[in-house]
Amino acid sequence: MAKKPLFQPFGTDFDLMLGVMKDPDNHIVRNASSMRGCYADKTALEELVEKGDPVHYEVFEKDIPEEYGHLRICISRLRMGTVGGECFMTRGHYHAVPGTAEIYLCLDGEGYMLMKTPENDCIAERMCPGRMVYVPPYWAHRSINTGGKPLVSFCVYPGEAGHNYGDIEKEGFPERIYLREGKVEIISG
Ligand code: MN
């Protein structure tokens, strides 16, 4: 019986200042146009799309099997800015295997990890360099940049976790984060 060859160990380099992985296998780029449905002010988002559809966030990944036992890693780099006063955010997701957690270690920038349960409990946990946020199983999560430079974080999650964007797209998050006159405001609804 031929044995499946073992996955090979590897190392990888990060530029912690820029918030990039130097040799990613996947580099996912999400522009403003892929953020439809996320912001309260739809007109402001369409204006941003019209004005060149700028990059919203990037995710750098290594090709690690999406299997139980492995750990998937990524670096995410969310740009600064607002859409009708609402701070730039990632789309957010549940895990396809909902009972799986995730760790985010913030490397640069400032913001929040917004998390919610299917029952609509919602918690915004602050992110700043050196701060880790634990996203427990069953919580949808989205990061939000409230600062003046990219919000960069390193994340680790179980190989089998997968992504479920559909449910949170339908539900939405019960809280929104705005930047008004330099002040962060967390608003329900
Ligand atoms: Mn996740």
Side-chain angles (χ1 to χ4, degrees):
M1 221 29 173
K3 240 175 102 182
K4 196 176 152 194
L6 289 178
F7 189 78
Q8 294 299 298
F10 67 89
T12 189
D13 298 297
F14 302 133
D15 186 322
L16 298 181
M17 297 303 289
L18 288 177
V20 299
M21 192 184 282
K22 290 182 181 171
D23 58 344
D25 294 318
N26 305 311
H27 178 205
I28 301 154
V29 180
R30 298 236 192 261
N31 294 71
S33 55
S34 51
M35 299 303 293
R36 289 189 173 107
C38 293
Y39 294 97
D41 189 339
K42 291 175 177 60
T43 312
L45 181 69
E46 290 311 318
E47 279 167 14
L48 193 61
V49 172
E50 291 289 303
K51 276 192 240 153
D53 196 15
V55 171
H56 226 72
Y57 62 98
E58 298 163 85
V59 180
F60 301 85
E61 294 179 331
K62 295 301 283 183
D63 260 339
I64 295 170
E66 293 182 274
E67 292 170 7
Y68 177 79
H70 279 283
L71 293 172
R72 300 265 303 171
I73 58 165
C74 72
I75 288 248
S76 82
R77 184 171 192 268
L78 170 62
R79 302 294 169 89
M80 57 181 264
T82 57
V83 175
E86 195 175 356
C87 296
F88 275 16
M89 62 177 83
T90 59
R91 285 172 63 196
H93 59 267
Y94 286 104
H95 289 163
V97 177
T100 52
E102 183 158 359
I103 284 166
Y104 280 80
L105 175 64
C106 182
L107 302 176
D108 201 19
E110 268 179 85
Y112 287 85
M113 180 64 68
L114 191 64
M115 294 168 275
K116 87 170 274 282
T117 64
E119 291 75 31
N120 250 11
D121 289 331
C122 190
I123 288 179
E125 189 61 53
R126 205 169 54 84
M127 295 180 83
C128 60
R131 188 167 168 84
M132 186 217 76
V133 174
Y134 183 66
V135 180
Y138 304 106
W139 289 74
H141 40 289
R142 134 180 308 166
S143 38
I144 298 174
N145 186 350
T146 58
K149 56 176 171 171
L151 177 65
V152 179
S153 45
F154 171 71
C155 54
V156 186
Y157 57 96
E160 77 277 22
H163 292 87
N164 167 4
Y165 293 100
D167 285 350
I168 197 66
E169 230 163 71
K170 278 181 244 138
E171 294 169 13
F173 282 80
E175 289 179 5
R176 298 184 173 277
I177 302 186
Y178 290 84
L179 202 54
R180 285 181 180 140
E181 287 153 20
K183 253 189 71 203
V184 173
E185 291 176 19
I186 303 179
I187 289 168
S188 292

Coordinates of all heavy atoms in Angstrom, one line a residue, residues 93-95 102 104 141 157 162-163, ligand 1:
H93 N -17.0 36.7 7.4 CA -17.5 35.4 7.1 C -17.7 34.6 8.4 O -17.1 34.9 9.4 CB -16.5 34.6 6.2 CG -15.1 34.5 6.8 ND1 -14.1 35.5 6.6 CD2 -14.5 33.6 7.7 CE1 -13.0 35.1 7.2 NE2 -13.2 34.0 7.9
Y94 N -18.5 33.5 8.3 CA -18.5 32.4 9.2 C -17.5 31.4 8.6 O -17.2 31.4 7.4 CB -19.8 31.8 9.3 CG -20.9 32.5 10.1 CD1 -21.9 33.2 9.4 CD2 -20.9 32.5 11.5 CE1 -22.9 33.9 10.1 CE2 -21.9 33.2 12.2 CZ -22.9 33.9 11.5 OH -23.9 34.5 12.2
H95 N -17.1 30.4 9.4 CA -16.4 29.3 8.8 C -17.4 28.3 8.3 O -18.5 28.1 8.9 CB -15.4 28.7 9.9 CG -14.3 29.6 10.2 ND1 -13.5 29.5 11.2 CD2 -13.8 30.6 9.5 CE1 -12.5 30.4 11.2 NE2 -12.7 31.1 10.1
E102 N -10.3 30.9 15.3 CA -9.2 31.6 14.6 C -8.5 32.6 15.5 O -9.1 33.1 16.4 CB -9.8 32.3 13.4 CG -8.8 33.0 12.5 CD -9.3 33.3 11.1 OE1 -10.5 32.9 10.8 OE2 -8.6 33.8 10.3
Y104 N -6.2 36.0 15.4 CA -5.6 37.2 14.7 C -4.6 37.9 15.5 O -4.9 38.3 16.7 CB -6.8 38.2 14.3 CG -7.6 37.8 13.1 CD1 -8.6 36.9 13.3 CD2 -7.4 38.4 11.9 CE1 -9.4 36.5 12.2 CE2 -8.2 38.0 10.8 CZ -9.2 37.1 10.9 OH -10.0 36.7 9.9
H141 N -16.8 36.9 11.6 CA -15.8 37.9 12.0 C -15.5 38.7 10.7 O -15.4 38.2 9.6 CB -14.6 37.3 12.6 CG -14.2 36.0 11.9 ND1 -14.9 34.8 12.1 CD2 -13.1 35.7 11.1 CE1 -14.3 33.8 11.4 NE2 -13.2 34.3 10.8
Y157 N -5.9 29.5 11.4 CA -7.1 28.8 11.6 C -7.0 27.4 11.2 O -6.2 27.0 10.3 CB -8.3 29.6 10.9 CG -8.1 29.7 9.4 CD1 -8.7 28.8 8.5 CD2 -7.4 30.8 8.9 CE1 -8.6 29.0 7.1 CE2 -7.2 31.0 7.5 CZ -7.8 30.1 6.6 OH -7.7 30.2 5.3
G162 N -12.6 26.4 6.3 CA -13.3 26.9 5.1 C -13.9 28.2 5.4 O -13.8 28.8 6.5
H163 N -14.6 28.8 4.4 CA -15.3 30.1 4.5 C -16.7 30.0 4.1 O -17.0 29.3 3.1 CB -14.5 31.1 3.7 CG -13.2 31.4 4.1 ND1 -12.1 30.7 3.8 CD2 -12.7 32.4 5.0 CE1 -11.0 31.2 4.4 NE2 -11.3 32.2 5.1
Ligands
MN1 MN -12.0 33.2 9.5

